[in-house]
Amino acid sequence: MKISPIRNEKDYQKALERLEVIFDAKLGTPKGDELEILSILIDRYENEHFPIEMPDPIEAIKFRMDQMGMKQKDLAAVVGFKSRVSEILNGKRKLTLNMIRQLNKTLRIPTEVLVQDY
């Protein structure tokens, strides 16, 4: 097992290729240890070089509504009146703390996403 830091794209590709080879290694074995360490290095490199930004709060709500087959009238039960839902989804009204809590509970959207500026 020869593990080295991932410093560039070439190192990253090499690490991914090795990961594929040892992917099914059993925990507690030398290859299993290599797999664990390599996974950590790859994750660190990806987080630094390919960060994933959080989605826009309103787009996250719309996406989750679509996933759950919800209509605007269904969301009214969560945040209040149907007109309020329309204002929120059109960006004319900001989410309140209570709305954020309800959306988190009902739609299971992380609060970190909902509290962002938009």
Side-chain angles (χ1 to χ4, degrees), residues 50-56 113 116:
F50 312 113
I52 298 173
E53 295 182 22
M54 284 198 279
D56 175 78
V113 170
Q116 296 179 95

Side-chain angles (χ1 to χ4, degrees), residues 57-110:
I58 303 306
E59 291 305 314
I61 293 169
K62 290 177 181 177
F63 178 75
R64 192 70 177 121
M65 286 174 62
D66 185 53
Q67 281 185 321
M68 297 174 76
M70 293 178 74
K71 304 274 186 225
Q72 284 191 18
K73 65 179 180 173
D74 301 322
L75 196 59
V78 179
V79 297
F81 304 104
K82 188 176 175 184
S83 60
R84 185 173 295 155
V85 172
S86 181
E87 291 173 342
I88 291 168
L89 295 180
N90 290 316
K92 295 178 181 176
R93 179 184 286 263
K94 297 288 184 183
L95 295 169
T96 66
L97 182 57
N98 190 48
M99 289 178 196
I100 290 169
R101 287 179 180 146
Q102 291 301 318
L103 290 165
N104 171 257
K105 182 179 175 182
T106 307
L107 301 181
R108 295 186 188 101
I109 299 172

